[in-house]
């Protein structure tokens, strides 16, 4: 009876580990889509609303789910504190929330490069930089969806099967 209970715990633990590992592949495309939507909203606020960056960032953060909303909320807070520049505020915000995101280094570089252009160009140039970032994120999203389709189910199954293997080895 005790062996059976132990076996159930082992399978449950390894299956849970597999699902948690696969969660990265589920979250990455979702977060990229949210970033794209956020940048499109930021573009609209800049181009048509003439809204200041900190106000636009607050409004965008209210529309998004975590952790992407935390990026824009932190950015807004940094700007309100009187950060040296929008670039500095963006980089600090990006570093602050990056560990909670499921994105890769490529997305980090796109966002960092986008942040370098924030607040230093006129509206038309800013719109071009936003569109460039959106294009890069679109390519990253396609890559993320491909990786999800390829790996998510396999990792979930691997977690379960690893538990079964472990049980067989221990018996």
């Amino acid at each position: 009876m005790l062996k059976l209970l132990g076996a159930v715990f082992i399978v449950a633990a390894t299956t849970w580990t597999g699902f948690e590992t696969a969660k990265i592949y589920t979250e990455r495309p979702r977060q990229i889509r949210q970033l794209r939507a956020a940048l499109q909203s930021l573009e609209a606020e800049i181009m048509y609303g003439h809204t200041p960056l900190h106000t636009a960032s607050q409004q965008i953060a209210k529309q998004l789910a975590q952790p992407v909303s935390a990026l824009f909320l932190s950015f807004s807070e940094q700007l309100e504190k009187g950060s040296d520049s929008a670039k500095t505020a963006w980089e600090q915000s990006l570093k602050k929330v990056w560990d909670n995101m499921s994105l890769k280094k490529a997305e980090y570089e796109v966002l960092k490069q986008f942040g370098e252009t924030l607040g230093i160009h006129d509206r038309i140039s800013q719109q071009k930089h936003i569109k460039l970032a959106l294009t890069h994120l679109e390519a990253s999203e396609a890559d993320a969806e491909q990786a999800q389709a390829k790996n998510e189910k396999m990792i979930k199954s691997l977690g379960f099967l690893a538990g079964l293997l472990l049980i067989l080895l221990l018996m």
Side-chain angles (χ1 to χ4, degrees):
M1 182 66 175
L2 197 55
K3 281 186 177 183
L4 182 62
L5 187 62
V8 168
F9 281 137
I10 288 172
V11 169
T14 57
T15 301
W16 177 76
T17 302
F19 274 75
E20 284 298 311
T21 305
K23 192 176 184 181
I24 293 169
Y25 289 100
T26 305
E27 287 294 311
R28 185 172 169 231
R30 185 183 68 80
Q31 289 178 7
I32 293 172
R33 277 191 296 277
Q34 285 183 343
L35 280 169
R36 288 182 57 215
L39 291 181
Q40 288 169 342
S41 295
L42 185 62
E43 177 186 15
E45 292 288 344
I46 290 171
M47 293 303 295
Y48 309 112
H50 304 284
T51 311
L53 272 177
H54 69 88
T55 306
S57 296
Q58 280 178 341
Q59 292 171 354
I60 291 168
K62 291 175 185 174
Q63 300 169 6
L64 300 171
Q66 290 288 353
V68 178
S69 68
L71 173 64
F72 284 90
L73 189 60
S74 176
F75 178 58
S76 175
E77 290 170 356
Q78 292 290 334
L79 289 174
E80 285 179 350
K81 285 181 187 176
S83 183
D84 293 341
S85 66
K87 174 188 171 190
T88 306
W90 182 259
E91 285 180 6
Q92 289 172 349
S93 301
L94 199 54
K95 287 177 185 176
K96 182 178 177 181
V97 300
W98 188 253
D99 291 335
N100 297 329
M101 299 181 92
S102 298
L103 302 176
K104 292 192 173 189
K105 186 75 173 167
E107 289 89 22
Y108 181 81
E109 291 302 322
V110 168
L111 292 173
K112 185 178 176 188
Q113 184 179 7
F114 167 72
E116 291 177 6
T117 66
L118 270 174
I120 59 173
H121 295 286
D122 64 339
R123 287 190 333 237
I124 303 299
S125 295
Q126 190 67 59
Q127 182 182 30
K128 290 178 184 176
H129 288 289
I130 290 172
K131 288 197 182 294
L132 178 64
L134 286 170
T135 303
H136 287 299
L137 287 175
E138 189 175 336
S140 290
E141 183 181 359
D143 177 52
E145 287 172 348
Q146 185 179 20
Q148 179 185 10
K150 180 180 171 186
N151 298 322
E152 182 181 25
K153 187 175 180 181
M154 178 190 63
I155 290 175
K156 288 177 180 179
S157 299
L158 205 57
F160 176 73
L161 293 173
L164 292 179
L165 177 65
L166 192 57
I167 290 170
L168 289 175
L169 291 175
L170 291 176
M171 292 214 156

